[in-house]
């Protein structure tokens, strides 16, 4: 028997907790307790803690990695703890998730992951809780990541549950994504898609057309003409130097706005509407395109805080853009046939942006889809009413869920078949893209995918109101 065995189990060491881990835990706690958005809160917490570049990178990896794989880690923790996670104090569960991520998915030394997690547990829990965290994490550390995957898989209820567990997605989301891929004849891509959802996305930027130029070291985006990427480092400095005329924006979002603005030549005096404009990224691109073409733009956002974000996003564009704070469902009644082009980037589940907002997968339920499709339908009806005869409407969601995409468009065509027709959206997007996109399914719509296009899973459908 070794000296260590005679002494019994290792005792947690009292060490100072690294600031990066404390920041990560603070964000995880805020996400759980207050439904905070990690992508909005984390930069603020990093700045407040004055983290070094290396510590900021660590805090970012720990936060997003833990949120992405939370469902899988919960299954590992339940096995190691011998109890369901809903019987673990939530603050200690946050610590365990953070520790499990370090042990199973990073190169952090096991002793550092355990000891610092114990230090965090000491700050948020009781003495018994500290010992519990120490014991559970040491049990996790006794097995390899491959052994844990085998254990989790062996306890799955069925094949869908196994896929959901290992890919860390709710079962209902896995099934919804499978149906969306089936509609394209690409169901064999499911596991590749789930893996892409759990991969940190690259940072895409856009130089607002006519207002900014790409930096010398820019690499053009694969598809979006004004989009680009740069080498490592924080792009915020580049954004600030440009006065906001260079922005961080996913390539899929860029293509969604450009599909509306570049589907046909812009005529002087056209009037455009961004119906659900918050937080303003697409509105800024629309404003730049409107300025270049001699059009005008109105942005609408119901929520005052988000309307203020829209105003900030629009500020760098030298175009007078009124920002309304109307309920989008009444705009068509109050402003009938008033706009030549309308972007409806409808509120949705956000299942297409799980790489960037991983917590969304744990917040949404099938009930949310039903509620959102009711809202999406009302907003689309309003947009159609606000569109001039001959005008063009882009219906966009950051979700591939068929209920929020093809289903909404199909029902609108049924209700408004006398005045509404579909455009060849795929042809339009292919024509504006830098290189040809691998698209599948209905050519009247475009569904982008993170695994296929390295974009968010944006859905785009162009609809035209027949001329009187």
């Amino acid at each position: 028997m070794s000296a260590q065995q005679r002494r019994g189990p290792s005792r947690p060491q009292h060490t100072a907790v690294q600031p990066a881990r404390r920041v990560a835990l603070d964000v995880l706690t805020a996400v759980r307790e207050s439904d905070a958005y990690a992508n909005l809160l984390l930069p603020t917490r990093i700045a407040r803690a004055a983290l070094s570049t290396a510590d900021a990178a660590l805090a970012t990896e720990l936060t997003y990695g833990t949120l992405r794989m939370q469902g899988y880690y919960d299954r590992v923790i339940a096995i190691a703890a011998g109890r369901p996670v809903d019987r673990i104090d939530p603050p200690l569960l946050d610590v365990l998730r953070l520790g499990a991520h370090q042990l199973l998915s990073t190169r952090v030394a096991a002793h550092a992951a355990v000891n610092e997690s114990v230090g965090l547990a000491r700050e948020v829990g009781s003495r018994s809780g500290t010992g519990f965290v120490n014991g559970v994490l040491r049990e996790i550390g006794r097995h390899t990541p491959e052994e844990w995957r085998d254990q989790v898989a062996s306890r799955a209820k069925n094949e869908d549950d196994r896929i959901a567990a290992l890919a860390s997605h709710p079962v209902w989301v896995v099934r919804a994504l499978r149906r969306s891929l089936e509609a394209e004849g690409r169901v064999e891509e499911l596991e590749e898609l789930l893996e892409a959802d759990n991969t940190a996305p690259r940072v895409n930027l856009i130089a607002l057309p006519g207002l900014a130029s790409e930096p010398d070291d820019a690499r053009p985006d694969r598809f979006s003409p004004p989009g680009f990427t740069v080498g490592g480092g924080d792009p915020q400095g580049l954004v600030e130097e440009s006065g906001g005329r260079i922005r961080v924006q996913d390539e899929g979002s860029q293509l969604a706005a450009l599909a509306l603005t570049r589907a046909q030549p812009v005529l002087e005096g056209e009037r455009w509407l961004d119906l659900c404009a918050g937080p303003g990224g697409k509105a800024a691109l629309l404003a730049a395109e409107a300025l270049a073409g001699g059009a005008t733009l109105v942005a609408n956002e119901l929520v005052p805080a988000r309307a203020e974000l829209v105003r900030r996003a629009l500020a760098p564009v030298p175009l007078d853009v009124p920002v309304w704070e109307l309920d989008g469902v009444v705009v068509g009644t109050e402003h009938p046939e008033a706009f030549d082009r309308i972007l409806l980037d409808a509120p949705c589940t956000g299942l297409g942006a799980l790489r960037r907002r991983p917590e969304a997968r744990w917040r949404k339920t099938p009930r949310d889809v039903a509620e959102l499709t009711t809202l999406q339908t009302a907003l689309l009806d309003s947009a159609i009413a606000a569109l001039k005869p001959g005008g063009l409407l882009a219906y966009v969601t950051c979700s591939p869920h068929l209920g929020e995409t093809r289903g909404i468009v199909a029902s609108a065509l049924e209700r408004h078949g006398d005045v509404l027709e579909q455009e060849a959206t795929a042809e339009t997007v292919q024509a504006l893209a830098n290189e040809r996109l691998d698209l599948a399914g209905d050519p009247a719509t475009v569904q982008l995918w993170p695994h296929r296009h390295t974009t968010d899973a944006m859905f785009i459908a162009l609809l035209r109101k027949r001329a009187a």
Side-chain angles (χ1 to χ4, degrees):
M1 180 180 292
S2 69
Q4 175 62 46
Q5 289 173 318
R6 287 194 298 273
R7 286 196 296 269
S10 299
R11 297 179 180 273
Q13 299 177 14
H14 289 231
T15 57
V17 176
Q18 188 178 12
R21 290 181 172 85
R22 184 174 285 108
V23 166
L25 181 64
D26 286 347
V27 174
L28 295 177
T29 300
V31 168
R32 173 180 54 79
E33 291 183 343
S34 309
D35 285 342
Y37 291 94
N39 65 318
L40 300 179
L41 181 59
L42 181 60
T44 301
R45 294 295 174 88
I46 287 174
R48 184 184 301 172
L51 296 186
S52 66
T53 300
D55 276 350
L58 177 60
T60 300
E61 158 57 25
L62 294 180
T63 301
Y64 284 111
T66 301
L67 288 171
R68 289 187 185 104
M69 298 304 295
Q70 176 179 308
Y72 174 71
Y73 295 148
D74 281 0
R75 300 204 188 206
V76 172
I77 291 165
I79 297 170
R83 69 179 73 169
V85 292
D86 60 10
R87 290 178 52 201
I88 298 174
D89 289 344
L92 294 179
L93 182 57
D94 290 337
V95 174
L96 286 170
R97 289 166 173 165
L98 189 59
H101 177 64
Q102 294 171 75
L103 289 169
L104 298 175
S105 302
T106 74
R107 296 182 179 179
V108 173
H111 67 86
V114 173
N115 290 339
E116 296 237 357
S117 296
V118 168
L120 289 171
R122 187 176 298 111
E123 295 179 5
V124 303
S126 63
R127 178 172 297 182
S128 61
T130 302
F132 173 71
V133 166
N134 182 55
V136 171
L137 291 180
R138 290 191 181 278
E139 174 60 23
I140 293 174
R142 289 189 183 100
H143 305 274
T144 66
E146 292 74 20
E147 289 171 341
W148 279 117
R149 288 182 64 82
D150 290 343
Q151 288 202 52
V152 168
S154 69
R155 288 167 167 80
K157 300 173 185 176
N158 50 48
E159 180 62 9
D160 279 357
D161 190 48
R162 184 193 70 82
I163 294 172
L166 296 180
S168 196
H169 286 62
V171 171
W172 77 270
V173 173
V174 170
R175 291 171 176 164
L177 295 176
R178 178 188 290 117
R179 286 191 291 270
S180 297
L181 289 169
E182 281 177 340
E184 294 189 346
R186 298 282 192 92
V187 69
E188 71 279 0
E189 296 177 4
L190 176 62
E191 294 199 21
E192 186 182 358
L193 167 59
L194 298 174
E195 182 179 351
D197 273 352
N198 292 329
T199 302
R202 64 184 181 184
V203 177
N204 291 88
L205 297 104
I206 182 171
L208 292 179
L211 299 175
S213 299
E214 300 173 356
D216 292 338
D217 62 343
R219 294 188 292 269
D221 274 346
R222 291 175 61 194
F223 308 116
S224 175
F228 66 95
T229 58
V230 293
D234 185 358
Q236 191 57 36
L238 187 60
V239 173
E240 293 173 356
E241 289 173 10
S242 73
R245 295 182 177 187
I246 289 177
R247 306 177 52 82
V248 174
Q249 187 174 40
D250 178 70
E251 194 174 0
S253 294
Q254 297 176 37
L255 290 175
L258 294 172
L260 178 66
T261 64
R262 302 191 181 184
Q264 62 193 34
V266 180
L267 299 179
E268 183 82 22
E270 283 188 6
R271 194 177 186 214
W272 300 354
L273 171 66
D274 187 349
L275 185 57
C276 299
K282 296 183 186 69
L285 177 51
L286 291 179
E289 293 273 289
L291 178 65
T296 61
L297 174 67
V298 174
N300 180 72
E301 173 54 51
L302 174 62
V303 180
R306 288 172 62 84
E308 184 58 32
L309 293 176
V310 174
R311 293 185 182 97
R312 293 179 191 173
L314 290 167
V317 182
L319 182 70
D320 182 17
V321 181
V323 179
W324 296 346
E325 296 183 19
L326 298 177
D327 186 339
V329 301
V330 306
V331 169
T333 301
E334 297 188 6
H335 301 273
E337 298 188 349
F339 299 96
D340 298 281
R341 305 192 199 207
I342 298 176
L343 173 65
L344 171 52
D345 184 8
C348 66
T349 55
L351 298 183
L354 297 183
R355 304 173 306 157
R356 301 179 194 281
R357 295 189 289 275
E359 66 273 13
R361 72 187 76 182
W362 313 118
R363 289 179 175 168
K364 301 298 182 180
T365 69
R367 180 179 299 177
D368 293 314
V369 177
E371 294 174 355
L372 284 164
T373 53
T374 299
L375 175 59
Q376 290 156 0
T377 297
L379 287 168
L380 186 50
D381 285 346
S382 178
I384 293 166
L387 193 64
K388 289 180 181 180
L392 190 64
L393 165 65
Y395 175 77
V396 173
T397 68
C398 190
S399 169
H401 193 295
L402 290 177
E404 300 184 271
T405 56
R406 294 192 190 189
I408 295 296
V409 172
S411 64
L413 290 168
E414 288 179 6
R415 291 190 307 279
H416 303 282
D418 56 332
V419 297
L420 198 66
E421 58 190 20
Q422 285 186 287
E423 292 283 290
T425 309
E427 182 179 327
T428 295
V429 174
Q430 295 283 25
L432 71 87
N434 290 332
E435 63 181 72
R436 190 163 185 83
L437 293 116
D438 178 11
L439 300 177
D442 182 4
T445 65
V446 165
Q447 179 64 68
L448 302 174
W449 294 103
H451 68 290
R452 204 183 299 163
H453 308 111
T454 63
T455 68
D456 290 344
M458 302 295 298
F459 173 83
I460 311 166
L462 294 176
L463 303 167
R464 188 175 299 278
K465 197 171 190 177
R466 292 191 182 93

